[in-house]
Amino acid sequence: MEENDIYNLPIEPVEKWLVPENINLPVVAGPCSAENFEQMISVAEGLSKIPNVVAFRCGLWKPRTRPGGFEGVGEVAFPWIKEIKERFGLKVCVEVATPKHVEQCLKAGVDFFWIGARTTGNPFCINDLCEAVKGTNIPVLIKNPIGPDLKLWIGTVERFYNAGCKRIVGVHRGFISYQSGIYRNDPCWEALFEMQREFPTLPLFCDPSHITGDRKLLREVSQKALDFNFSGLMLEVHPDPDRAFTDKNQQITPPELKALLDKLAIKEIESNVISGFLNVQKSS
Ligand code: PEP
Ligand code: MN
């Protein structure tokens, strides 16, 4: 495949498999980590009342930067996920980083996967994951790698596409920066704008939780993402954020998520990322 062909991959638009017609801002929301049954049911119940929430996210295996922290409950959470799907009719999305995670999640009826920033940056891991998903056409949300290397991110998209996954979403979670600023991970909007322009078939969601690392900044970053015509948001939500086992400073409660979404200025429903991009061009 020529390099330029990559940017025209016929990836299935999210409207075909994830986003109902009446939703103009789809949100994937849920706790950073699954902690226990009560926490999971409580947050899922709250989220099920917010129409924008098109899927529930939860981390079962947490990739911690340094050892010693909470590394997730693992497969213990599968019965909780089953109950959430049955009781609230939510689709559930889990981070996978090894072929074993993939195998376990497929068996447990997890609806789709996300690939974490630490995994996207490792082509060896991605090749193993692609081997494990072959033949399933399971949707995959792919976070950008930790460092600002768009080619590495695109390479991961391409590898999953070649493995038969046609339902792919890129998730922008910001890039690590050596200099400390107000954000946990630098959003680098210009690069992402360029990415939309060059790769218009890839739907892009924004993850303001991991960009900001701070719940006070979620609203401004979410608005910025909408202004840049991102197709949706991924946000971390917890029933009691201050007591969360991971990423507590950036999580909000379900009512806080509702209030945040109510305050965002959302544009008309866009048929796809390309038309959104053209609108930005016209108005600038
Ligand atoms: C997460 O979504 O909880 C996570 C670990 O994200 P990232 O891979 O973007 O750091
Ligand atoms: Mn997190």
Side-chain angles (χ1 to χ4, degrees):
M1 191 187 275
E2 294 291 315
E3 184 164 319
N4 278 347
D5 294 342
I6 297 166
Y7 301 108
N8 292 315
L9 289 182
I11 291 169
E12 258 188 66
V14 283
E15 291 76 13
K16 288 244 169 94
W17 58 272
L18 179 65
V19 185
E21 236 176 56
N22 56 334
I23 298 298
N24 53 3
L25 174 58
V27 179
V28 175
C32 177
S33 310
E35 296 170 8
N36 55 58
F37 179 73
E38 290 72 27
Q39 170 237 15
M40 289 275 278
I41 295 297
S42 158
V43 73
E45 182 168 27
L47 293 175
S48 68
K49 297 179 186 139
I50 305 176
N52 296 76
V53 175
V54 294
F56 180 88
R57 60 146 282 157
C58 56
L60 307 192
W61 302 278
K62 299 306 296 180
R64 306 312 302 274
T65 303
R66 296 185 63 192
F70 176 66
E71 296 200 323
V73 295
E75 63 266 37
V76 168
F78 287 137
W80 312 339
I81 288 176
K82 186 166 182 275
E83 178 139 353
I84 285 170
K85 282 166 61 86
E86 285 169 5
R87 226 156 113 180
F88 306 112
L90 285 163
K91 288 184 175 153
V92 176
C93 166
V94 168
E95 175 175 353
V96 292
T98 68
K100 190 166 176 217
H101 296 162
V102 169
E103 193 192 311
Q104 289 177 300
C105 285
L106 288 173
K107 216 160 128 198
V110 167
D111 298 283
F112 51 98
F113 300 149
W114 91 81
I115 307 300
R118 290 156 189 81
T119 308
T120 303
N122 185 331
F124 287 135
C125 293
I126 297 301
N127 282 341
D128 289 346
L129 292 174
C130 287
E131 206 46 55
V133 299
K134 247 183 206 157
T136 64
N137 194 24
I138 187 146
V140 193
L141 274 51
I142 303 177
K143 300 240 197 156
N144 63 259
I146 300 253
D149 184 343
L150 297 182
K151 287 246 160 74
L152 201 51
W153 191 12
I154 289 167
T156 295
V157 172
E158 193 189 4
R159 284 187 160 95
F160 274 100
Y161 187 87
N162 291 343
C165 297
K166 306 294 181 256
R167 297 174 173 179
I168 300 178
V169 175
V171 181
H172 175 36
R173 48 79 77 203
F175 301 105
I176 199 89
S177 154
Y178 186 64
Q179 276 153 349
S180 57
I182 58 165
Y183 299 124
R184 180 179 179 192
N185 291 292
D186 191 344
C188 208
W189 298 112
E190 293 70 22
L192 266 290
F193 189 60
E194 196 56 29
M195 170 104 164
Q196 282 179 341
R197 200 172 63 82
E198 283 195 30
F199 198 168
T201 60
L202 178 68
L204 282 179
F205 279 29
C206 182
D207 172 349
S209 306
H210 290 88
I211 288 178
T212 63
D214 180 347
R215 65 180 75 105
K216 291 192 293 301
L217 302 173
L218 291 176
R219 186 177 152 202
E220 66 181 57
V221 168
S222 301
Q223 186 61 59
K224 195 87 176 175
L226 298 191
D227 298 343
F228 273 101
N229 288 291
F230 277 79
S231 305
L233 299 174
M234 185 191 254
L235 284 156
E236 288 188 338
V237 182
H238 190 283
D240 188 358
D242 285 332
R243 292 210 184 153
F245 293 180
T246 53
D247 286 350
K248 63 181 185 167
N249 296 333
Q250 67 197 37
Q251 302 206 61
I252 52 176
T253 63
E256 284 166 345
L257 174 66
K258 174 82 174 65
L260 183 150
L261 297 176
D262 285 347
K263 285 189 195 118
L264 296 176
I266 303 170
K267 291 190 188 157
E268 304 277 288
I269 296 181
E270 307 284 3
S271 58
N272 56 38
V273 176
I274 307 175
S275 59
F277 171 70
L278 291 177
N279 284 347
V280 169
Q281 268 198 326
K282 271 188 239 144
S283 62
S284 60

